[in-house]
């Protein structure tokens, strides 16, 4: 069990893609910290499930990733209790879609603060620990929308494009500490986030996916797991699309 006693923190880990990542990492022997904002019950249930199924340690930990102080407090608690953080998966995200003419300042701020500033807050909070360890993996979840743009999602697209640029810059900064920073780009993946799409949109999106089917949270988790593994030790600053066509 090469990953035994390595610690991974997954933001927004209680449901959707985050929960699949928690399962995959726990199955591979990682101890897991399951960050949540609202889904306290789901986080607790998931922790119990992975503890009993995979015989690893798991801890739900609440923090709103958009708040610098909340995240700093969560990470200092984790460091006190667990001593190390080997893998950070910045997965937490929201969408507040609207054409710019109708987009409110709050739609903009919430999306940027959660999807982009949240990545800054969490990465900054684990940085010293990973530097001291002289190793670490940061895996950021972006979106194909951040690569090609999308009507009605200018806030989300800007945030996710920012995540990609942030990750590439950080990969250069942190190489000397053997901290690898990579991006996973899900395409259309079936979760609560995509369940509310208007009729007809789903078919249009599927027509642009090479394999013609939506992704599953497990498809994304498999890529994250690879990037967290020893086998990915010479990969940094890269962007991995999970079956998205970028046009
Ligand atoms: P989801 O089902 O809507 O889940 C969103 C997750 O983010 C929840 O666990 C939620 O936690 C967490 N979250 C939201 N705001 C938070 C905050 N301020 N602090 C902490 N956690 C917060 O979404 P998903 O589809 O799994 O998406 C996961 C990631 O993949 C996101 O970054 C999303 O942008 C990206 N993505 C998704 C798709 C897709 O098709 N689904 C495609 C491309 C990219 P709580 O429930 O605890 O609030």
């Amino acid at each position: 069990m090469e990953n035994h006693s390595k610690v991974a923190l997954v933001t927004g880990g209680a449901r959707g893609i985050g929960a699949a990542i928690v399962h995959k990492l726990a199955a591979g022997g990682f101890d897991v910290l399951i960050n949540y904002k609202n889904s306290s019950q789901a986080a607790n249930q998931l922790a119990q499930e992975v503890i009993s199924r995979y015989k690893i340690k798991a801890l739900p930990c609440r923090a709103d990733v958009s708040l610098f102080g909340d995240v700093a407090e969560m990470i200092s608690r984790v460091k006190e209790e667990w001593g190390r953080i080997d893998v950070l998966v910045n997965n937490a995200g929201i969408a507040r879609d609207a054409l710019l003419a109708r987009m409110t300042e709050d739609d903009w701020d919430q999306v940027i603060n959660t999807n982009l500033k949240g990545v800054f807050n969490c990465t900054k909070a684990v940085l010293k620990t990973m530097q001291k360890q002289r190793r670490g993996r940061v895996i950021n979840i972006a979106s194909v929308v951040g690569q090609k743009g999308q009507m009605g999602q200018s806030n989300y697209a800007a945030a996710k494009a920012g995540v990609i640029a942030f990750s590439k810059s950080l990969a250069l900064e942190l190489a000397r500490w053997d901290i690898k920073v990579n991006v996973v780009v899900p395409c259309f993946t079936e979760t609560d986030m995509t369940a509310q799409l208007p009729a007809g949109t789903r078919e249009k999106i599927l027509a642009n996916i090479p394999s013609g089917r939506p992704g599953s949270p497990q498809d994304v988790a498999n890529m994250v797991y690879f990037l967290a593994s020893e086998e990915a030790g010479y990969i940094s600053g890269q962007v991995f699309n999970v079956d998205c066509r970028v046009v």
Side-chain angles (χ1 to χ4, degrees):
M1 281 268 225
E2 67 175 34
N3 295 319
H4 196 64
S5 85
K6 282 193 185 161
V7 175
L9 166 63
V10 182
T11 70
R15 60 191 178 90
I17 292 172
I21 294 170
V22 166
H23 262 287
K24 185 74 189 175
L25 291 171
F30 282 90
D31 293 328
V32 285
L33 295 152
I34 306 167
N35 160 259
Y36 66 94
K37 179 185 168 196
N38 298 310
S39 300
S40 142
Q41 206 186 343
N44 279 297
Q45 270 175 8
L46 181 58
Q48 290 313 313
E49 197 182 326
V50 294
I51 289 168
S52 70
R53 196 186 289 187
Y54 307 115
K55 314 296 173 216
I56 46 84
K57 288 202 287 176
L59 189 71
C61 41
R62 198 204 164 275
D64 178 341
V65 297
S66 71
L67 302 176
F68 190 84
D70 240 29
V71 171
E73 211 177 287
M74 170 179 74
I75 298 298
S76 73
R77 260 187 288 125
V78 165
K79 279 194 286 192
E80 260 172 45
E81 285 177 39
W82 289 31
R84 58 186 299 119
I85 297 175
D86 300 281
V87 177
L88 166 66
V89 184
N90 282 308
N91 162 78
I94 57 166
R96 295 282 180 274
D97 300 349
L99 296 173
L100 186 60
R102 292 199 200 118
M103 187 178 289
T104 64
E105 186 183 3
D106 191 53
D107 291 334
W108 176 268
D109 286 346
Q110 281 202 39
V111 168
I112 298 293
N113 288 344
T114 304
N115 296 6
L116 181 56
K117 191 179 174 208
V119 173
F120 163 80
N121 288 341
C122 295
T123 311
K124 175 103 175 140
V126 304
L127 187 61
K128 274 197 187 136
T129 305
M130 286 187 179
Q131 283 175 322
K132 265 194 207 149
Q133 291 165 188
R134 298 199 76 80
R135 63 181 290 134
R137 300 284 167 86
V138 179
I139 302 162
N140 295 327
I141 309 298
S143 166
V144 68
V145 169
Q147 296 170 310
K148 68 175 188 59
Q150 181 67 39
M151 269 182 68
Q153 290 200 303
S154 58
N155 50 357
Y156 185 78
K160 294 300 192 182
V163 167
I164 293 172
F166 174 81
S167 308
K168 289 185 174 201
S169 306
L170 218 60
L172 300 174
E173 274 185 40
L174 301 183
R176 78 175 85 155
W177 288 280
D178 198 20
I179 299 170
K180 312 297 185 198
V181 186
N182 290 293
V183 182
V184 174
V185 175
C187 195
F188 179 74
T189 307
E190 288 195 304
T191 65
D192 295 344
M193 188 177 266
T194 47
Q196 315 296 335
L197 283 173
T201 307
R202 180 188 163 87
E203 288 65 34
K204 277 189 203 153
I205 295 171
L206 288 180
N208 275 311
I209 298 176
S211 55
R213 68 159 176 91
S216 69
Q218 290 72 26
D219 292 322
V220 181
N222 290 338
M223 177 58 84
V224 171
Y225 180 73
F226 169 67
L227 291 171
S229 73
E230 292 301 320
E231 284 77 6
Y234 192 58
I235 300 174
S236 198
Q238 306 304 311
V239 179
F240 297 92
N241 284 39
V242 180
D243 208 11
C244 315
R245 183 182 297 168
V246 186
V247 282

